[in-house]
Amino acid sequence: MSVDDIRKARSASEFNRENLESVLRGRFFYAPAFELYGGVSGLYDYGPPGCAFQANVVDLWRKHFILEEDMLEVDCSMLTPYEVLKTSGHVDKFSDWMCRDLKTGEIFRADHLVEEVLEARLKGDKAARGISEEEVEEDAEKKKRKKKVKQIKAVKLSDHVVKEYQDILAKIDGYSGPELGELMVKYNIGNPATGEPLEAPREFNLMFETAIGPSGHMKGYLRPETAQGQFLNFSKLLEFNNGKTPFASASIGKSFRNEISPRAGLLRVREFLMAEIEHFLDPEDKSHPKFHEVKDVKLSFLPRELQEAGSTEPVVKTIGEAVESKMVDNETLGYFIARIAQFLLKIGVDPNRMRFRQHLANEMAHYAADCWDGELLTSYGWIECVGCADRSAYDLSVHSDKTKQKLVVRQKLDKPVEVTRWEIDLTKKLFGPKFRKDAPKVEAHLLNLSQEELASKAEELKNTGKLVLKVNGIEGEVEMDDKFVTIERRTKTEHVREYIPNVIEPSFGIGRIIYSVFEHCFWSRPEDTARAVLSFPPLVAPSKVLLVPLSNHKDLAPVTAEVSKLLRREKIPFKVDDSGVSIGKRYARNDELGTPFGVTIDFDSVKDGSVTLRERDSTKQVRGSADEIIKAIREITYNDASWEEGTKNLAPFVSQSETE
Amino acid sequence: MSVDDIRKARSASEFNRENLESVLRGRFFYAPAFELYGGVSGLYDYGPPGCAFQANVVDLWRKHFILEEDMLEVDCSMLTPYEVLKTSGHVDKFSDWMCRDLKTGEIFRADHLVEEVLEARLKGDKAARGISEEEVEEDAEKKKRKKKVKQIKAVKLSDHVVKEYQDILAKIDGYSGPELGELMVKYNIGNPATGEPLEAPREFNLMFETAIGPSGHMKGYLRPETAQGQFLNFSKLLEFNNGKTPFASASIGKSFRNEISPRAGLLRVREFLMAEIEHFLDPEDKSHPKFHEVKDVKLSFLPRELQEAGSTEPVVKTIGEAVESKMVDNETLGYFIARIAQFLLKIGVDPNRMRFRQHLANEMAHYAADCWDGELLTSYGWIECVGCADRSAYDLSVHSDKTKQKLVVRQKLDKPVEVTRWEIDLTKKLFGPKFRKDAPKVEAHLLNLSQEELASKAEELKNTGKLVLKVNGIEGEVEMDDKFVTIERRTKTEHVREYIPNVIEPSFGIGRIIYSVFEHCFWSRPEDTARAVLSFPPLVAPSKVLLVPLSNHKDLAPVTAEVSKLLRREKIPFKVDDSGVSIGKRYARNDELGTPFGVTIDFDSVKDGSVTLRERDSTKQVRGSADEIIKAIREITYNDASWEEGTKNLAPFVSQSETE
């Protein structure tokens, strides 16, 4: 098959999730953890191929981001004391709403429950109206969930109820817990199995809690993200970088999230590998010196406006255009979006199933200035796999405030300057009593006002004696009188410019990315749909070579040993399969493992040392000496050569068993 | 300096822990975690050089063990349900004894407290008797602890009390909690600061506890080791390996231990990286096919007998001799001991500060058949960094027993055989009621009896109607009558041999190894003791190259950019230092970071493209084109070439600033 034929075959192959899962479980890419003990939902173990794939993805991530961009990698503690996560906002905010069935003990996540029950009723309505199932358009997004509602009852609803349900579903992600509770009462939503009413929604913090030390008094959590460890080390990192910005730190490690009811396999788990970058930069200069290198990268964007207009059709443009048109806020954010895309494509993501979706205003963390999710299309719908957010100065500000330690960049000015600028002074002691837990947000908001905004606020203060603000993350308006703030235009001689840097944060959910790549690389041979293939790029494939002696004949063993030795010396991961089964069966097994190359040893190999090299996707074969074949494998796997380039000096080989 | 000179300088340099720590903290190899919030003892963050060093060590570990031995790597859940760790014995056994001061709230680890108080009193006695401090031999092992007893009072003890104290100290690791409590009462040991009595010792389980899921009812722990996850996946791994043994699984990941009062810096922490191997093998055949490759490896051994005779002088012999003489139990255990040593030497361990110490009988886990610790000598004494244990069939037996799932190897016999052998049947329902929590140990002991032992036990049963056993991990003798067991000689036709494999477990504490390497690689230049060097082997050094333009002159920038590009293309980690300070200062800074090579760009570089390469330890310099220099760096770093081999085609270079 030619490269084009393979591409056609791959895209023609209809995706079947059960087949994929059967391959992934059967070949031990992963398995539910503690299966021997009945398993624990949301916890998985990676077996040898899954683990090797993950290690290769992480290794490539490290090279693509850390090495290439000269980032400062850190490895921080997972156990985190209460205080830190209280300050960051996780103790108060990192939660979902759950409701219990007090009779059965079952626990439901409130928003998912309301959504599924209303959807089921709408379907029942359509059924009652005689609209067939096929006509009912199903949102792929919803398929990812294991349904709580097992049976659809054909019950007709009145037209205005249908309209109400549709309105609720359209904004289902925006309801607070009490609002969900009201909906449950109003629409009589209970346990779908029994119809019995449930307890009102309660907030459930998603962090795993533990006690550090023997006293039992030091409350701690397992970190929900690696970011906080990086923020806390900001000053040390800045010093390590000789005081210069911009610079980025990075961290790869496990984080934890105590999901209420985990589902969707590897996509929603309680323990997961993250790779996060915190790029610290001057809030007044978000340009990027290497932006020109990526400006022509073409991507699919789903900006806020499109979504608000109800569209899911992305616009395709270069990142250069996206930044220039201000659709993407700044160069650095744009640079990372392009680099994220390049990384995803390298590890096997299908470019047609990748998009960048901008967060809606109500969806964005309160501190974020802009945020784009790298989403991958899977059989569960579009999945958020990478977040790329401008976190502004929020995190450093709140930690600095709490610990009374400066977390700033001091930029020495070449010569002192007379600076006239708007300055704002906060009467901090008034903020706590008035705004309580919102105080840091209000303060951060005020301290982040631009010169233009300060000018206008000074005017407002002068005219009305008070300020009225709309602060991200706080409902309604915030009001304060002129005892809280002073805004003045002052002239000073400055020798040093001091500022809290902003943070651009690309954050990768490695497990979700890996699962998406599994889906994108999975297909079946057109001649036999039972023959599944995982077409991983060689660089990230768990093993690179399957070494196959034609038979168990003892004469072949020395050649197998010799080729093994060569591969090991070249540090190319390989497996020997000298089981008695047919060559075809052995290759089929390894197509499922995604091994890109097969090396066959036959009786001619004993005579002249030549071996056959087989390519997984096309099943093409070439012949050469072991040295030549290994060189080709190395070039294709590690040096970006195509199959044609890598094997151009090798003779094509037609085996008796080509039909396998 | 020649290689010999450097070696001399390094060993002549007197080690000073404060200097090392000041370099490690100053260069942000590591730092106490959450320092901004006052820190949490026992938790540390690795900064950029520490993190890169760790990543390189892990990468090398993966190549040295997993790739070389074709091991099956897995990545298992850290969150572990109660049941699993109950079965493994950790819920009951993984604990230390603590005692509280009810007035101050202070908590002490009981064994450490008794030890330190008695030691202090013995010192006070010597002082009172007029024996000077210098003559008091201090055990290096003890230095690792931050002393609770701050002041030594010169109080003479009676001779028999001195003798009693010495006897207690000699067996301090062997006391149970209640025994420690009795000692505290008898010798009036209280809070060293106040003299006030303490609460009696209580058992404190060292696992971090948490609740999994929203109900709060599923108790879980953070894993104390990665091993259990590997055991639980045994059947899947065996299937992945086509049913064949021996094979090994391996896992690299964080484990947790809630220390009562962590001390000794990176050596005793609450969250740590482990790398563990579980090698599953036939209990009747512990030979290793590659043993011949390592049999001549010479090592320092401290076997049980030597220690029991009070000696700390190791015997030096080859691992071949050690196995042949049965000092090391079997070839596979010996093979791993040799491979462990080779790994440690590769990453920079000083061979003169490495030994393998056999566990004493009372120190060994109850299930272990033999156990050797790879110990490294540091300023805290000899530190256990790698354990290499034969865990017998214990773990698989207990999990199998608990879950009623077979965890066995089924070996198909080529032809059915008539086998006459001793067989033992257990009347399992009687074991639980009689032996309670010891039942699995008694059962495992009986099922693991050899044919010879079974023959003798059958005789005993026939003659006395009962069995009397000494079971590892159970105090005293275990007795049972003939209703508990049947031992018979039976003849059967067998088509399949079924057995629970034994496990050899090499287990690496990566953090401890890394700290030891820091100590072993640390020295000061003889000409200036303030100039510290970390002589890491290039392969594991955090960064490989420091790129140093002679000055900030703009003409040098293009060459710096060009060399950077070449290094990046070759994927060689490097840093540019274009800070204004002198070349000497810049190199001094990087000697502290352990960067093995410096590449200097000067005005000749602009003319002819040549650059200078500097070697960290000898400060030798050679000159060549950027391509040649990078080739040399690559050969020395990744292909084991010596400096002399790697640079043999390059011209020596004497710079004006050689004295730096």
Side-chain angles (χ1 to χ4, degrees), chain A residues 326-375:
Chain A
K326 278 282 159 196
M327 184 175 87
V328 167
D329 187 70
N330 59 71
E331 274 192 6
T332 300
L333 197 58
Y335 179 75
F336 279 114
I337 288 174
R339 293 283 297 160
I340 290 165
Q342 290 174 331
F343 169 75
L344 293 174
L345 296 179
K346 258 193 210 173
I347 64 171
V349 160
D350 175 356
N352 298 317
R353 287 184 262 180
M354 174 176 78
R355 73 178 185 194
F356 287 85
R357 188 181 70 79
Q358 192 172 28
H359 273 204
L360 298 174
N362 68 355
E363 176 187 17
M364 212 152 53
H366 55 270
Y367 47 79
D370 191 8
C371 184
W372 290 82
D373 281 345
E375 295 188 328

Side-chain angles (χ1 to χ4, degrees), chain A residues 34-35 37 45-46 48 54 70 73 75-79 87 209-210 213 233 236 254 258 271 399 575, chain B residues 34-35 37 45-46 48 54 70 73 75-79 87 209-210 213 233 236 258 271 399 575:
Chain A
F34 315 112
E35 213 170 16
Y37 282 79
D45 292 343
Y46 283 111
Q54 178 183 263
D70 207 12
E73 188 177 352
D75 182 13
C76 301
S77 179
M78 295 177 191
L79 290 162
T87 306
E209 190 181 318
T210 191
N233 282 305
K236 295 191 182 92
K254 291 266 167 84
N258 197 4
E271 182 179 323
H399 286 302
K575 297 270 169 201
Chain B
F34 315 111
E35 212 170 16
Y37 282 78
D45 292 342
Y46 283 110
Q54 177 182 266
D70 207 12
E73 188 177 353
D75 183 12
C76 301
S77 179
M78 296 177 190
L79 289 162
T87 305
E209 191 181 315
T210 192
N233 281 305
K236 294 191 183 93
N258 198 4
E271 182 179 323
H399 286 301
K575 296 269 170 203

Side-chain angles (χ1 to χ4, degrees), chain A residues 280-307:
Chain A
F280 299 94
L281 79 180
D282 186 339
E284 292 176 10
D285 179 8
K286 297 190 178 179
S287 67
H288 195 286
K290 286 160 77 181
F291 186 71
H292 64 95
E293 290 180 15
V294 301
K295 72 177 184 356
D296 296 328
V297 172
K298 254 205 175 102
L299 296 169
S300 295
F301 295 96
L302 200 60
R304 196 174 294 152
E305 295 69 38
L306 274 186
Q307 297 169 65

Side-chain angles (χ1 to χ4, degrees), chain A residues 26-28 31-37 39-41 43-49 51-52 54-55 59 62-63 67-81 83-84 87-88 98 100 105 107 204 208-215 217-218 222-223 229 231-233 235-237 239-240 242 244 250 254 256 258-261 270-271 273 290 398-400 402-403 405 407 568 571-579 589 593 638, chain B residues 26-28 31-37 39-41 43-49 51-52 54-55 59 62-63 67-81 83-84 87-88 98 100 105 107 204 208-215 217-218 222-223 229 231-233 235-237 239-240 242 244 250 254 256 258-261 270-271 273 290 398-400 402-403 405 407 568 571-579 589 593 638:
Chain A
R27 297 298 169 209
F28 200 9
F34 315 112
E35 213 170 16
L36 211 56
Y37 282 79
V40 177
S41 59
L43 296 178
Y44 293 89
D45 292 343
Y46 283 111
C51 193
Q54 178 183 263
D59 185 55
R62 203 173 249 132
K63 287 185 177 129
L67 187 54
E68 182 70 25
E69 312 283 355
D70 207 12
M71 292 174 178
L72 308 180
E73 188 177 352
V74 294
D75 182 13
C76 301
S77 179
M78 295 177 191
L79 290 162
T80 307
E83 281 283 288
V84 171
T87 306
S88 69
M98 68 172 185
R100 284 173 207 259
I107 294 175
F204 176 68
F208 287 96
E209 190 181 318
T210 191
I212 302 173
S215 74
H217 300 322
M218 190 192 272
L222 293 176
R223 66 178 176 200
F231 297 135
L232 294 184
N233 282 305
S235 295
K236 295 191 182 92
L237 290 164
E239 191 194 332
F240 186 83
N242 296 328
K244 285 194 270 189
K254 291 266 167 84
F256 303 82
N258 197 4
E259 294 285 350
I260 292 175
S261 61
R270 287 178 164 148
E271 182 179 323
L273 190 64
K290 286 160 77 181
V398 293
H399 286 302
S400 169
K402 176 73 190 174
T403 61
Q405 311 255 11
L407 298 176
R568 203 173 286 123
K571 303 210 183 336
I572 296 173
F574 70 99
K575 297 270 169 201
V576 177
D577 187 348
D578 53 7
S579 68
R589 188 151 73 192
L593 284 164
Y638 298 110
Chain B
R27 298 296 170 211
F28 199 10
F34 315 111
E35 212 170 16
L36 210 56
Y37 282 78
V40 177
S41 60
L43 296 179
Y44 293 90
D45 292 342
Y46 283 110
C51 192
Q54 177 182 266
D59 184 55
R62 202 172 249 135
K63 287 185 177 127
L67 186 55
E68 182 69 26
E69 312 283 355
D70 207 12
M71 292 173 179
L72 308 181
E73 188 177 353
V74 293
D75 183 12
C76 301
S77 179
M78 296 177 190
L79 289 162
T80 307
E83 280 282 287
V84 170
T87 305
S88 70
M98 67 171 185
R100 286 172 204 260
I107 295 176
F204 175 68
F208 287 96
E209 191 181 315
T210 192
I212 302 174
S215 73
H217 301 320
M218 190 193 272
L222 292 176
R223 68 179 175 199
F231 298 136
L232 294 184
N233 281 305
S235 294
K236 294 191 183 93
L237 290 164
E239 191 194 332
F240 186 83
N242 295 330
K244 284 194 270 189
K254 291 268 168 78
F256 303 83
N258 198 4
E259 294 286 349
I260 291 175
S261 61
R270 287 177 165 150
E271 182 179 323
L273 190 64
K290 286 160 78 181
V398 293
H399 286 301
S400 168
K402 176 72 191 175
T403 61
Q405 311 256 11
L407 298 176
R568 204 172 287 125
K571 302 206 183 339
I572 297 173
F574 70 100
K575 296 269 170 203
V576 176
D577 187 347
D578 53 7
S579 68
R589 187 152 74 192
L593 285 164
Y638 299 110

